[in-house]
């Protein structure tokens, strides 16, 4: 029931909603239930995803872990910028993450974190860039999103839940919490229709 | 005749090569007419009036000055006191023969990338002789080679006059009269040298005087003199000189040997604070280093850049590379990051660049398909860029370490280290986040599962004895907690199963 000519469909400037997405541009989350709810059926690459949590440690790594393991085959950097705690090598290694491709960047302030994130995104040789930050400046967020758009990396910004009310240029935003022993992912912004109910995940 | 020549043991190498039919020698001479001035000015990004002075006491005179100084009315030969009266803002630098000698050696080491034989000419003006007969095929032909050398020198801050001829002396004389058209082997040389003035030949003063009195003004005039008569009247000097210039007798030159260590200095005529200006000066030195490393087919892992200040200890910046390299542009990018995060205590009066350890360069291996190697190098570049600004300790990799103590079964390592997978003896679950310092809990938590006793490390005094459990906090996060088995038997949180 395609009424548009094929050439037009392939035009890069034409965005066609949820139905057609470049498979390459998305990364399976490893949770079928979540994949189903996300446009492109996975985490977007070349765009900023924003993970909003009440506090670090609630379950964000369990959510991101399957995708990180999936990236191990690419052999490119997974950059962890300003992680709140020490990424624990034995657990990551046991889960199947390629430890030799992890780059932990510890910074002293917001400016350094964002600079490092931009450098990692611009370098074009990072599979994933994970950034923990409380950045509130809209201009800096915009820069981060632009850097992510120009890259092919999976960029994730982890911020406090308090920022969910603020506007953000991120392509995908979701709140993460625990509900009855399950991970609850409430998508609050994505390219395409936003699902209403939170997705419950066993992780 | 040809055969007879070839059997003579020590024949002029040009002749010998020709008779054997092997490649012919071709010399490229570089003359630096404004050497003293360029040494004084080449670190300066801005166009400030600078003059080089020479002499002692009241006889100090202007030896050379740049365009900005000329614009203020300074001229060569002017006494220094007069120059200052004309232009108070004039920066002066005393001519220093040792500095000039070191600079010339720096260019010679740089020039070794173009030729296997580089010889110094420590004359006034100074210069270099490059044997380029063997380099022509590698660098295209004479014109591209000459253009690259000229452009490279300009980037270092020097203007050179080029002369190209089959003998070193002829090449030198052509460069002196600024005749850049090359004379290739077999082409008529004598006619091209004819206009060289007598005083460029560098003959002894008495010989020169005698020739002038005879009405001889140029190289061409000398050639017309009768050989035996000249030798009888003026001694053998002139005849030998002409023979050497025209390739009739050998003219061996001492090859400059590139030193093992790179050390070059660059003095600034004025005090500089602007980062851009410092980068400009550092770029000159880095390009010189690059040429030196290409000449030695080497690469470096670390270099030291120093900034001298007036009446203060110098500032040193050490730049380390993860992969040995020599690319000046990359080094400059690293330096830029470091300079931005370095606080210079005072204006800079000079720079030095030092690279002690020159490693054998691993040539950039390019794969046939894609290039895994190239990607690996790019990955190292990112690490270097991050480390240059944030510090080496801030950018780390992770690796597992065999053992039992939770704090000791991992460590930071140099990024990209492929450590052997540590056998996970522990079947018990481990948290994804570990707290750098366990935080004490006030109450005994409600335990969910697992008792794991870890008792280890008695041999190094940092032994632990703990019972680990998994618990759940009120907001649903799963925690890794432990209880001390000794002392106060307190409870601690040690990680999150995030």
């Amino acid at each position: 029931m395609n009424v548009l000519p094929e050439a037009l469909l392939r035009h890069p400037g034409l965005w066609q909603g949820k139905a057609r997405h470049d498979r390459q541009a998305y990364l399976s989350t490893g949770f079928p239930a979540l994949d189903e709810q996300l446009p492109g059926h996975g985490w977007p690459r070349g765009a900023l995803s924003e993970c909003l949590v009440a506090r670090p440690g609630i379950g964000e790594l369990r959510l991101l872990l399957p995708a990180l393991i999936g990236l191990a085959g690419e052999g490119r950097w997974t950059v962890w910028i300003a992680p709140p705690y020490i990424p624990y090598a034995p657990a990551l290694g046991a889960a199947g993450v390629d430890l030799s491709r992890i780059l932990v960047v510890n910074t002293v302030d917001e400016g350094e974190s964002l600079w490092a994130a931009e450098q990692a995104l611009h370098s074009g040789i990072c599979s994933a860039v994970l950034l923990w930050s409380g950045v509130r400046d809209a201009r800096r967020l915009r820069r981060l999103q632009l850097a992510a758009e120009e890259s092919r990396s999976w960029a994730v910004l982890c911020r406090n839940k308090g920022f969910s009310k603020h506007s953000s240029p991120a392509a995908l935003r979701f709140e993460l919490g625990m509900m009855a022993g399950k991970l609850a992912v409430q998508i609050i912004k994505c390219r395409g229709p936003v699902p209403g109910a939170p997705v419950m995940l066993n992780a | 005749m040809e055969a007879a020549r070839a059997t003579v043991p020590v024949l002029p190498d040009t002749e010998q090569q020709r008779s054997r039919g092997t490649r012919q020698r071709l010399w490229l001479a570089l003359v630096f007419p404004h050497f003293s001035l360029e040494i004084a000015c080449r670190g300066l990004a801005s166009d400030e009036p600078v003059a080089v002075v020479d002499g002692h006491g009241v006889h100090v005179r202007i030896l050379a000055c740049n365009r900005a100084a000329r614009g203020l009315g300074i001229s060569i030969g002017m006494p220094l006191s007069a120059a200052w009266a004309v232009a108070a803002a004039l920066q002066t630098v005393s001519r220093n023969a040792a500095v000039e000698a070191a600079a010339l050696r720096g260019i010679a080491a740089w020039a070794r990338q173009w030729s296997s034989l580089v010889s110094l000419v420590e004359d006034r003006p100074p210069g270099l002789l490059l044997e380029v007969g063997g380099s022509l095929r590698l660098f295209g032909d004479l014109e591209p080679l000459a253009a690259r050398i000229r452009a490279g020198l300009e980037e270092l801050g020097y203007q050179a006059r080029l002369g190209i001829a089959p003998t070193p002396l002829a090449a030198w004389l052509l460069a002196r009269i600024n005749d850049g058209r090359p004379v290739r082997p077999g082409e008529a040389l004598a006619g091209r040298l004819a206009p060289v003035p007598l005083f460029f030949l560098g003959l002894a003063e008495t010989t020169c005087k005698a020739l002038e009195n005879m009405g001889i003004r140029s190289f061409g005039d000398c050639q017309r003199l009768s050989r035996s008569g000249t030798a009888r009247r003026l001694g053998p000097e002139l005849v030998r000189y002409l023979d050497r210039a025209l390739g009739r007798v050998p003219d061996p030159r001492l090859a400059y040997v590139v030193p093992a260590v790179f050390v070059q200095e660059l003095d600034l005529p004025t005090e500089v604070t602007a980062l851009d200006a410092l980068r400009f000066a550092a770029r000159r030195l880095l390009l010189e280093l690059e040429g030196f490393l290409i000449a030695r087919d080497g690469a470096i892992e670390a270099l030291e850049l120093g900034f001298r200040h007036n009446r203060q200890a110098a500032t040193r910046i050490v730049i380390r590379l993860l992969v040995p390299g020599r690319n000046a542009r990359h080094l400059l990018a690293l330096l830029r990051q470091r300079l931005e995060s370095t606080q210079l205590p005072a204006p800079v009066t000079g720079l030095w660049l030092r690279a002690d350890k020159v490693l054998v360069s691993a040539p950039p291996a390019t794969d046939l398909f894609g290039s895994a190697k190239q990607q690996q190098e790019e990955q190292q570049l990112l690490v270097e860029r991050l480390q240059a600004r944030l510090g080496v300790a801030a950018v780390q990799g992770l690796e597992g370490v065999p053992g039992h103590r939770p704090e000791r079964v991992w460590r930071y390592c140099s990024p990209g280290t492929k450590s052997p997978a540590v056998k996970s003896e522990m079947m018990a679950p481990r948290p994804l986040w570990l707290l750098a310092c366990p935080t004490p809990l006030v109450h005994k938590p409600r335990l969910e599962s697992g008792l794991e006793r870890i008792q280890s490390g008695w041999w190094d005094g940092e032994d632990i004895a703990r019972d680990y459990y998994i618990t759940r906090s009120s907001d649903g996060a799963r925690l890794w907690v432990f209880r001390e088995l000794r002392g106060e038997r307190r409870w601690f949180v040690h990680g999150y199963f995030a």
Side-chain angles (χ1 to χ4, degrees), chain A residues 62-128:
Chain A
R62 260 178 299 157
L63 181 68
L64 306 179
L65 198 59
L68 285 175
I69 296 165
L71 289 171
E74 290 192 358
R76 303 194 297 164
W77 290 123
T78 303
V79 189
W80 301 48
I81 298 163
Y85 307 111
I86 299 161
Y88 197 39
L92 291 169
V97 175
D98 184 357
L99 286 180
S100 71
R101 295 290 95 201
I102 287 185
L103 206 57
V104 181
V105 181
N106 291 309
T107 58
V108 294
D109 59 31
E110 210 59 49
E112 280 193 0
S113 299
L114 290 168
W115 175 82
E118 270 182 40
Q119 291 293 319
L121 289 168
H122 283 312
S123 72
I125 45 160
C126 299
S127 296

Side-chain angles (χ1 to χ4, degrees), chain B residues 192-257:
Chain B
R192 293 285 301 281
L193 289 177
V196 177
L198 187 63
F199 62 90
F200 275 6
L201 301 189
L203 299 168
E205 208 169 319
T206 46
T207 316
C208 231
K209 271 263 155 47
L211 285 169
E212 262 179 40
N213 290 341
M214 290 158 67
I216 305 293
R217 295 280 177 269
S218 68
F219 190 91
D221 294 345
C222 295
Q223 280 177 292
R224 280 193 289 278
L225 295 172
S226 94
R227 201 177 160 81
S228 55
T230 315
R232 201 174 55 240
R233 261 178 291 163
L234 300 170
E237 190 194 1
L238 180 63
V239 175
R240 290 274 315 271
Y241 188 92
L242 295 179
D243 284 347
R244 268 164 53 213
L246 297 171
R248 293 191 205 119
V249 296
D251 186 8
R253 297 284 168 160
L254 203 61
Y256 175 69
V257 180

Side-chain angles (χ1 to χ4, degrees), chain B residues 145-169:
Chain B
L145 176 64
R148 284 173 75 171
I149 293 176
R150 204 189 287 272
L153 283 170
E154 244 163 60
E155 293 223 82
L156 294 184
Y158 299 106
Q159 290 249 327
R161 288 183 182 159
L162 269 66
I164 299 162
T167 68
L169 204 49

Side-chain angles (χ1 to χ4, degrees), chain B residues 92-125:
Chain B
T92 58
V93 179
S94 294
R95 179 175 175 264
N96 184 335
V99 169
E100 286 183 14
L104 188 64
R105 278 163 180 75
I107 308 175
W110 173 88
R112 268 281 275 107
Q113 63 181 305
W114 310 112
S115 160
S116 54
L117 199 168
V118 174
S119 184
L120 305 173
V121 183
E122 297 190 81
D123 205 345
R124 299 240 339 233

